[in-house]
Amino acid sequence: MVGLEVLYQRDWRFDSAFDDDLVKLRRPYIDRLNPFLFGLVMLGGAASVAYAAVTEDVGWIGLLFCGAVVLFGLVIAVAMLRHAVLPFRVDVDARGWSVRTPKLSRDLRWDEVTAVVLADAPASARPGSPVAAPRLLLVPAAGVNLGVPLTEETGLGGQAAVELFQLSEVDYADELLLRDVAALAGDRFHNLCQQLTRPAGAIPLRRFSDEPDHFRLMRWLDRRKALLFAGWYLLVLVPSLLVIGVVSQRDELLGVIVLVACLAAIVIATRTIWRIFGDCRDLANESAMIDGTNLVIGIDTPSYPMSLHSGIVDILRPGSLKGYGKAWLLTRPGHKGRPAAILLLSDPRTGRLRRRDDLSALEAALRVSPHERDRAAGRQLQELALRAPEALPTAFSSEARPASAIALWQALKGLGRAVVLLGVVATVATGGGWAGENSAVVGPVLFIVAICLFGVWILYALYRTLGLLDALLTIAARAIRG
């Protein structure tokens, strides 16, 4: 019994793995897979260059050049593979912390920790540089030596800390991490992060539409996108290539003119379709909040706040803007004065309004604007609020899907799009081959376009393939962990 008690005291992490309050923080598998594959490619390239230098007569200059290439490839490969295989495991439960990261490898009881701090990333000295993700800092208790320098300032009475990780480095939702770690740390937890802190008094607006309608809306938008792509392919791309081929076979100069005109028409048609029908999906996936007199789009990563007292707000009826279906829209002037939608007020698929408290919160902010245009929009919202449901249904057991299944389905759809887009590349290459039979200019130009498209397609296909692997690995890992 004494031996079992000693074993339990030494390996309390094993027992805690079965606790319900255990928080497991891991790196996303894609963050390991990408550098691992890239490192293997660089390692293979370095080996190929070294083999060629040994077996071929390349001279001293060639040997020096090959040596530099091999050295560069080995350095990059080792760095990438090291990043992929280094341990990254942080477990937190009621007893303490188990940290295995490149920065720190240590088990800590809660009485060895003074504070756990969620902090913003250090401000960058370069204007316009991207904002780094928030960080989780650990402050050890007095007399506890972590074995690493405490280089981070916390703002808690001059206490220094070690940075465990950035939130973007772990496969854990920010809100869940904040909630779960705060619950375990208790009074030791300090949220000093402005990036994830909602402004005081801000009113969040629910993402529209709620499940299961959001899933149905995304499915409806996917079907519409597929029909638009089919129409673009059959009515824009294929006819353009046919016209280019027929004209170039009869007259070289006229073929070049038609080629330039058709390529411009294809680009313009593509941009127009994307601009009209692409924004609806973006708005459907966005959350928003009312911060005083501002409407802030995006709660997790707030961006482009718009004043509701600027005299530019309008409410548009369904059908007023193409691409938004049956949705009522909150808009502002956009490019060349055209209305630009900034918030969905109803479902584009069904026309069902947002719930009443969302519309009432918008109306309350617009009602006190000094501009009549804003107040008129507020009166329209008041009329809509009277017709809106007080609460949206939340029961969707038959339509509910786990996050891992949704991620897998999205990854499969993305890979399917890559396969379909390969047909576009093949069509352009076929058109180039047909036009090139009697044209010394049009055919090669179309081949060059097809080669450029193929290069872009390779990158897109690789991105989608890695996304699918990430989804599969995530599901497998969760199944293994139970």
Side-chain angles (χ1 to χ4, degrees):
M1 294 297 293
V2 175
L4 289 176
E5 182 178 357
V6 172
L7 178 61
Y8 172 80
Q9 292 175 350
R10 289 181 178 178
D11 198 14
W12 51 269
R13 278 291 141 196
F14 177 81
D15 181 74
S16 67
F18 298 97
D19 292 346
D20 292 336
D21 59 355
L22 176 63
V23 175
K24 295 182 178 182
L25 303 173
R26 305 290 188 265
R27 281 169 53 191
Y29 290 100
I30 198 69
D31 289 352
R32 290 182 180 271
L33 183 62
N34 281 341
F36 182 76
L37 293 177
F38 187 75
L40 289 181
V41 170
M42 294 297 293
L43 189 62
S48 300
V49 173
Y51 178 79
V54 172
T55 57
E56 302 291 338
D57 185 12
V58 295
W60 287 106
I61 297 179
L63 283 176
L64 290 175
F65 178 77
C66 290
V69 172
V70 170
L71 181 62
F72 175 79
L74 288 177
V75 170
I76 298 298
V78 170
M80 293 292 100
L81 292 174
R82 181 176 180 272
H83 178 77
V85 302
L86 279 176
F88 192 105
R89 177 176 61 82
V90 179
D91 293 338
V92 193
D93 66 7
R95 296 182 179 89
W97 293 71
S98 177
V99 182
R100 299 293 183 270
T101 69
K103 298 177 182 177
L104 179 65
S105 181
R106 179 74 184 270
D107 289 341
L108 291 167
R109 301 185 306 275
W110 277 113
D111 58 8
E112 297 177 296
V113 177
T114 296
V116 180
V117 182
L118 183 65
D120 290 315
S124 174
R126 294 181 298 176
S129 59
V131 179
R135 308 169 297 157
L136 197 70
L137 310 178
L138 199 66
V139 180
V144 176
N145 182 14
L146 297 181
V148 295
L150 306 179
T151 59
E152 305 297 332
E153 294 293 334
T154 62
L156 299 175
Q159 293 178 318
V162 60
E163 178 185 313
L164 295 182
F165 51 79
Q166 294 184 2
L167 266 59
S168 60
E169 295 182 88
V170 296
D171 187 16
Y172 213 91
D174 294 347
E175 297 85 356
L176 293 179
L177 177 64
L178 190 153
R179 183 198 68 188
D180 295 344
V181 174
L184 291 170
D187 295 338
R188 296 180 178 88
F189 184 76
H190 301 273
N191 183 8
L192 305 181
C193 178
Q194 298 299 319
Q195 291 174 260
L196 298 180
T197 303
R198 184 181 302 156
I203 303 174
L205 304 179
R206 298 162 65 93
R207 186 186 69 174
F208 194 80
S209 55
D210 289 339
E211 299 286 2
D213 282 338
H214 185 74
F215 175 78
R216 297 192 186 108
L217 175 58
M218 291 298 105
R219 185 170 56 190
W220 179 75
L221 291 172
D222 285 339
R223 291 173 179 172
R224 188 175 69 170
K225 180 189 292 185
L227 290 175
L228 287 171
F229 175 81
W232 172 85
Y233 181 82
L234 295 175
L235 302 178
V236 177
L237 181 63
V238 173
S240 298
L241 292 175
L242 288 174
V243 171
I244 292 171
V246 170
V247 174
S248 62
Q249 288 180 358
R250 295 187 177 184
D251 186 274
E252 182 77 19
L253 179 59
L254 186 58
V256 173
I257 296 174
V258 171
L259 170 67
V260 174
C262 287
L263 289 180
I266 291 172
V267 172
I268 292 173
T270 304
R271 289 185 58 186
T272 302
I273 293 174
W274 181 265
R275 178 178 57 82
I276 292 177
F277 296 97
D279 292 341
C280 185
R281 172 180 286 273
D282 296 337
L283 288 183
N285 283 321
E286 284 285 8
S287 300
M289 61 183 171
I290 301 174
D291 181 15
T293 61
N294 290 329
L295 176 66
V296 183
I297 305 299
I299 292 181
D300 299 333
T301 55
S303 58
Y304 51 93
M306 189 201 76
S307 174
L308 296 173
H309 289 184
S310 56
I312 61 174
V313 177
D314 286 311
I315 306 296
L316 294 188
R317 293 178 174 275
S320 301
L321 280 184
K322 292 182 179 179
Y324 292 93
K326 300 178 181 179
W328 285 81
L329 299 171
L330 181 72
T331 66
R332 65 176 177 182
H335 182 62
K336 296 182 179 180
R338 297 171 183 168
I342 56 175
L343 189 68
L344 295 176
L345 301 179
S346 63
D347 192 320
R349 184 180 66 90
T350 64
R352 191 178 69 181
L353 291 164
R354 279 180 175 268
R355 64 186 228 176
R356 185 173 301 173
D357 52 357
D358 284 354
L359 299 178
S360 298
L362 283 168
E363 184 271 330
L366 290 168
R367 182 198 314 154
V368 294
S369 171
H371 301 281
E372 173 57 27
R373 184 174 178 177
D374 298 334
R375 295 196 296 270
R379 289 191 290 271
Q380 283 185 279
L381 281 173
Q382 187 176 27
E383 296 177 3
L384 291 177
L386 295 176
R387 296 156 42 190
E390 293 187 2
L392 297 178
T394 57
F396 51 93
S397 58
S398 62
E399 294 278 351
R401 287 165 173 76
S404 57
I406 294 175
L408 179 60
W409 173 241
Q410 291 175 343
L412 288 171
K413 287 195 301 182
L415 192 60
R417 294 190 190 106
V419 174
V420 171
L421 290 176
L422 182 60
V424 174
V425 179
T427 302
V428 176
T430 302
W434 180 43
E437 294 178 358
N438 298 292
S439 173
V441 176
V442 176
V445 169
L446 286 177
F447 268 124
I448 293 173
V449 172
I451 291 172
C452 294
L453 290 176
F454 185 67
V456 174
W457 178 85
I458 288 176
L459 297 177
Y460 181 76
L462 180 61
Y463 165 72
R464 290 301 185 182
T465 302
L466 292 176
L468 178 60
L469 291 175
D470 178 42
L472 292 174
L473 287 173
T474 302
I475 292 175
R478 288 174 180 172
I480 292 173
R481 292 173 187 168

